[in-house]
Amino acid sequence: MSHEGIRIAPKEHEEHESEQARSLPRIAVTPEKVRVLISEGKGVEIDWVDGHRSAWSFAWLREACPCATCVEERKLDGRKIGQPKAKPTAVLPMYTPPAKPASAQAVGRYAIQFNWLDGHSGGIYSWDYLRRVCQCRECTFAAEETTGTPN
Ligand SMILES: [Zn+2]
């Protein structure tokens, strides 16, 4: 007896670079606590008012920069939010340290901005944006399993 899970991946899996379609409840996009772990070199952790918790590494956040230049660059490369650039294969492997900000600051009450060590700082990461790109298992699972098959 075999249990076969037949899974049909939807072909038209559209990219939502700036998905503004559905609006999230206010408590889902209001941070209760924001931890920017610069000295640890880890990343950002946010506890949301609705009880959800999100965490991103700095490397991921750098590749998820929401500024127009980076969004365009990702689009041209066909990269998803947070996906690093493909390393050139022919070139000798060079060590590139993972992205890290020198500092970070709040932008009004709605966003955070990073001053990356590579000199970039144009991206304004709104709470809304960050919540939408939450990398927790629950959220990434929900994003991929948009078409659930009821048994
Ligand atoms: Zn950028």
Side-chain angles (χ1 to χ4, degrees):
M1 192 161 130
S2 66
H3 294 273
E4 286 177 64
I6 297 167
R7 199 175 272 193
I8 299 150
K11 199 79 194 125
E12 70 284 30
H13 206 82
E14 280 199 45
E15 206 99 323
H16 300 286
E17 185 73 58
S18 57
E19 191 194 273
Q20 299 294 331
R22 82 206 146 93
S23 63
L24 296 165
R26 202 184 170 81
I27 52 165
V29 294
T30 308
E32 190 168 79
K33 204 181 244 181
V34 180
R35 286 177 293 269
V36 185
L37 307 163
I38 292 179
S39 46
E40 296 92 330
K42 277 172 83 176
V44 176
E45 292 171 6
I46 297 180
D47 293 340
W48 304 97
V49 172
D50 70 352
H52 201 79
R53 176 179 270 201
S54 306
W56 308 265
S57 69
F58 285 129
W60 193 93
L61 288 167
R62 178 64 187 87
E63 303 296 350
C65 178
C67 86
T69 312
C70 292
V71 167
E72 189 61 26
E73 219 176 273
R74 281 199 296 276
K75 208 171 271 179
L76 290 172
D77 293 355
R79 279 183 295 132
K80 289 190 198 142
I81 294 171
Q83 191 182 339
K85 284 177 199 151
K87 293 228 171 93
T89 44
V91 185
L92 280 172
M94 272 199 335
Y95 176 73
T96 38
K100 211 184 131 176
S103 60
Q105 76 262 2
V107 180
R109 295 178 58 181
Y110 75 96
I112 188 166
Q113 191 171 4
F114 302 98
N115 302 304
W116 300 103
L117 287 173
D118 64 10
H120 197 64
S121 63
I124 290 166
Y125 297 68
S126 70
W127 306 134
D128 186 89
Y129 175 72
L130 287 171
R131 179 60 189 256
R132 284 169 196 276
V133 296
C134 177
Q135 291 298 293
C136 85
R137 276 183 68 184
E138 206 181 305
C139 290
T140 48
F141 188 78
E144 267 155 39
E145 298 280 307
T146 35
T147 50
T149 35
N151 27 298

